[in-house]
Amino acid sequence: MTGRTQDGALLLARLLLAAALLPTGIARALNVSGFALTLAGTGLPAPNLLATAAVMVQVFGPLALILGVLPRITGLMLAVFAVVMAVLLHPFWQFSGPTAVAERTLMLADLGLAGGFLMVAMTGPGAWSWQGWRQGARAQAKPASARTTTPKSAARPKRPAGRASTRAAA
């Protein structure tokens, strides 16, 4: 795959993964207390604190993912978030019949998202991201003379083995 094609595919993947979380994160941000009630229904301690933290991750994580800011940390954080939320919000083992099937499907979808986030964490965001732009800016900031000079050890010719230096002989 060429560099531009790979960078485009990584950007598309980041956009699609972010699209899976960002709308829900915004909706939960507009009704944090309702989300806290949902978490309280699962028996979690401090549901208000957890709801606020989850909303922050679910809004700022996808934004960081889209931009490519700290992609490895962001990908790992979102993968852990997706797994934890899948287990907490979709306990299919507690249900039977069609409800269990629906909850299992939602849990597997969340686990699939976690896999996508792990892939982003392992591959990086590509050149079409904040990190790619910064790496390109650093490469251009180096002076041309620094990139073309050879190290001093490579510029000096090596003595043939077994031959003593003139200083050692004197």
Side-chain angles (χ1 to χ4, degrees):
M1 192 181 285
T2 65
R4 292 176 63 89
T5 305
Q6 183 175 354
D7 291 333
L10 288 171
L11 174 63
L12 180 62
R14 292 191 336 258
L15 289 171
L16 292 173
L17 286 168
L21 287 184
L22 191 57
T24 308
I26 292 171
R28 286 179 177 166
L30 296 174
N31 187 12
V32 177
S33 59
F35 182 49
L37 287 174
T38 302
L39 292 178
T42 64
L44 288 172
N48 289 329
L49 178 66
L50 291 174
T52 303
V55 165
M56 290 176 64
V57 169
Q58 204 167 3
V59 171
F60 293 113
L63 292 176
L65 189 69
I66 290 169
L67 296 174
V69 176
L70 300 172
R72 302 201 191 280
I73 294 170
T74 301
L76 288 173
M77 175 190 63
L78 289 174
V80 169
F81 174 78
V83 169
V84 169
M85 285 293 127
V87 171
L88 291 178
L89 298 180
H90 305 295
F92 67 91
W93 53 90
Q94 295 177 355
F95 300 100
S96 62
T99 305
V101 172
E103 289 295 321
R104 185 179 63 226
T105 302
L106 291 170
M107 182 178 194
L108 291 174
D110 285 350
L111 294 177
L113 281 174
F117 294 133
L118 284 176
M119 290 176 119
V120 169
M122 295 301 115
T123 61
W128 296 350
S129 65
W130 176 260
Q131 181 181 3
W133 175 79
R134 287 191 62 218
Q135 287 175 348
R138 276 192 233 136
Q140 290 176 356
K142 289 182 182 177
S145 61
R147 282 184 257 148
T148 58
T149 59
T150 57
K152 290 181 180 180
S153 61
R156 194 174 10 167
K158 304 257 183 201
R159 284 191 303 249
R163 208 172 146 199
S165 69
T166 55
R167 283 191 183 154

